[in-house]
Amino acid sequence: MASRAFGRVAAVATARRAGISPHTATYYLDRAREKGQEAGRPAYTKIDVAARVREDGWAED
């Protein structure tokens, strides 16, 4: 239960840094997961999503 609460706090903080609402951040994350799945590159966790983002050149290491 505590890890879920921490995940929510981290998501809110990340959304604020990006200048978007937490709801929008969740939507974008879900959409990225869907697109990855469709492309044969699933991302089951946030760590997987971060790895795909780096692989695709959208973020620096």
Side-chain angles (χ1 to χ4, degrees):
M1 196 65 110
S3 66
R4 240 191 158 89
F6 176 75
R8 175 72 180 148
V9 170
V12 169
T14 301
R16 284 188 181 148
R17 279 195 304 265
I20 59 177
S21 75
H23 179 268
T24 301
T26 301
Y27 173 78
Y28 288 170
L29 182 59
D30 291 344
R31 186 70 182 119
R33 284 184 175 142
E34 283 178 28
K35 285 183 170 252
Q37 185 72 31
E38 291 168 3
R41 299 174 64 219
Y44 301 108
T45 67
K46 290 178 190 175
I47 292 172
D48 293 338
V49 172
R52 300 301 171 272
V53 167
R54 285 190 302 277
E55 289 167 5
D56 293 345
W58 289 98
E60 298 177 11
D61 287 331

